[in-house]
Amino acid sequence: MPPVPAFLYGTAWKEDRTAALTELALRTGFRAIDTANQRRHYFEAGVGQALAAAYRAGVVPRADLFLQTKFTYQRGQDHRLPYDPAETLAVQVAQSLSSSLEHLATDYVDSFVLHGPSSGYDWTEADVEVWEAMRKERDAGRTRMLGVSNVQLPHLEQLAATETELPAFVQNRCFARLGWDREIRKFCSERKIVYQGFSLLTANPEAMQHPPLINLAASLNATPAQVVFSFARAVGMLPLTGTSSAEHMKQDLGSLDLTLPPEVVRAIESMAG
Ligand SMILES: NC(=O)c1ccc[n+]([C@@H]2O[C@H](COP(=O)([O-])OP(=O)(O)OC[C@H]3O[C@@H](n4cnc5c(N)ncnc54)[C@H](OP(=O)(O)O)[C@@H]3O)[C@@H](O)[C@H]2O)c1
């Protein structure tokens, strides 16, 4: 199995442009794709079209890709549900993943993520049922790994207290003012969970406009976005970008070649919280 690539290309909010932009991302060099079976924000079948086009053109084979999708509770969906809401949650999980595998024309994904717990704070009985159903899917080989998203520390602590297995990934919106999600990142790093950070640019306008960060970027001949992505990687995150711009795709991947001195990493980590 290939290792997890160092950057995830996110496919949310692209609607009719999903296929073209995802194909462009693959052609530009992204090898990991994040989607969700949540038609309200993602067009997963469009991701599948991009994959098919990339395979046909010989850009990349399936085996060299990391594909991640999500199960979303009904309250996070609109009317276009990928499962029968009258079924149990366990069946909904199986139906959602079957539909994802069909959209992506594959017989396994690399990561299957619970899009968000059922309650804002607690790991509920519903989450326990969903997590067990997700583990069954992993055991059946329909996903290699499992993840959870949009979690607070109590969710993770309560999940851990159920003595089930922990996720391989936590995917969260990463706010600089919360020390770049310091508490959750600490929980993750202590347990070898990979932290995936999204909205690194959009959630942090204060960081992006921070004069020392702007000056640092200029001195490195890099953009502030590249510095943020490089910083993210330096503190152990797996960053996501959902850029729609060909230029930004190249710049984002270019951040992989940027190495920040440790004192700079420490300064950015503590700049806003
Ligand atoms: N689990 C969840 O609940 C959840 C929630 C939100 C997002 N996500 C995932 O994370 C992915 C990324 O979402 P995001 O919230 O981080 O926002 P995003 O879609 O990456 O948006 C980034 C914004 O920053 C701009 N930008 C400016 N310079 C950029 C640069 N160099 N590189 C990249 N963007 C640049 C982009 O504009 P341009 O397009 O012009 O570059 C865009 O408007 C989503 O597609 C989705 O897969 C998951």
Side-chain angles (χ1 to χ4, degrees), residues 9-14 34-35 42 70 115 149-150 171 173 198-202 223 225 229 240-245 248 251-252:
Y9 183 71
T11 60
W13 312 304
K14 295 178 173 60
D34 177 78
T35 185
Y42 297 78
K70 311 186 191 85
H115 209 154
S149 181
N150 296 300
Q171 183 184 101
R173 179 166 280 123
F198 64 85
S199 302
L200 282 160
L201 308 182
T202 48
T223 66
F229 288 132
L240 285 104
T241 175
T243 182
S244 296
S245 138
H248 288 161
Q251 288 176 357
D252 293 355

Side-chain angles (χ1 to χ4, degrees), residues 22 38 74 81 101 103 113 122 130 133 137 146 154-155 160 164 187 190 198 210 231 237 250 253 257 262:
T22 306
Q38 181 205 33
Q74 187 178 1
L81 293 170
L101 296 177
H103 288 155
V113 173
D122 289 318
V130 164
E137 296 297 348
L146 298 174
H155 289 126
T164 180
F187 181 98
E190 287 169 358
F198 64 85
H210 195 54
F231 156 76
M237 284 188 219
K250 284 190 213 135
L253 287 174
D257 299 327

Side-chain angles (χ1 to χ4, degrees), residues 9-25 33-35 39 41-51 249:
Y9 183 71
T11 60
W13 312 304
K14 295 178 173 60
E15 289 298 320
D16 290 351
R17 300 174 70 205
T18 302
L21 288 169
T22 306
E23 187 182 345
L24 181 63
I33 303 291
D34 177 78
T35 185
R39 190 59 192 85
H41 294 306
Y42 297 78
F43 180 27
E44 195 176 49
V47 175
Q49 290 166 19
L51 295 173
M249 286 184 193

Side-chain angles (χ1 to χ4, degrees), residues 64-109:
D64 291 350
L65 287 179
F66 176 92
L67 301 179
Q68 174 167 278
T69 190
K70 311 186 191 85
F71 168 77
T72 312
Y73 280 112
Q74 187 178 1
R75 72 182 172 96
Q77 304 268 11
D78 61 17
H79 61 285
R80 294 166 291 181
L81 293 170
Y83 45 71
D84 178 353
E87 290 288 358
T88 62
L89 287 169
V91 171
Q92 290 178 32
V93 167
Q95 290 179 344
S96 183
L97 184 55
S98 294
S99 157
S100 289
L101 296 177
E102 210 172 292
H103 288 155
L104 302 172
T106 185
D107 51 12
Y108 73 98
V109 289

